Amino acid sequence: MLVNPVLAKVSKDMATEEEGCLSLQGVLVPVERAAEVVIEGVDASGDPVRFELDLPEARIVQHELDHLDGVLIIDRTDEESRRNALARLRPQPVLGAR
Ligand SMILES: [Zn+2]
């Protein structure tokens, strides 16, 4: 468990991979992420924790941290992939979503 996570460090080294998301079913889009990150926060007892991560974990924490900021993969992809993803999502009724 990691409380109040922040990216303390991100590498200049970037990597692009197709990413999916449970919040956007059926959508895969290319997303560029830092290849290495250092993430810091506190654990359930309030003690500081720090993880140095490379791929694929570095990608996963950047994805999840984006969720905390209300940012989705379609906000991070190129314009064409974003348009295609939105076209794919639009015709499907999604219950309980906002
Ligand atoms: Zn997600």
Side-chain angles (χ1 to χ4, degrees):
M1 180 194 241
L2 189 60
V3 179
N4 292 335
V6 290
L7 287 178
K9 244 185 183 175
V10 295
S11 64
K12 289 205 175 72
D13 217 10
M14 304 294 279
T16 301
E17 287 276 353
E18 301 256 296
E19 266 184 47
C21 180
L22 291 175
S23 306
L24 302 169
Q25 303 261 331
V27 166
L28 279 179
V29 292
V31 179
E32 186 181 47
R33 304 275 189 194
E36 290 157 37
V37 299
V38 175
I39 188 168
E40 294 177 344
V42 296
D43 66 16
S45 330
D47 294 321
V49 278
R50 169 187 167 99
F51 298 99
E52 295 180 22
L53 305 172
D54 50 21
L55 297 171
E57 290 83 2
R59 174 172 300 279
I60 294 165
V61 300
Q62 289 171 86
H63 179 117
E64 299 306 332
L65 278 179
D66 270 355
H67 276 298
L68 297 180
D69 297 329
V71 176
L72 295 171
I73 52 176
I74 52 171
D75 302 314
R76 292 243 184 240
T77 194
D78 59 86
E79 192 48 46
E80 189 190 349
S81 300
R82 178 185 157 82
R83 251 198 319 268
N84 290 341
L86 290 175
R88 202 187 162 93
L89 290 167
R90 205 168 284 128
Q92 300 167 351
V94 181
L95 298 177
R98 50 144 290 149

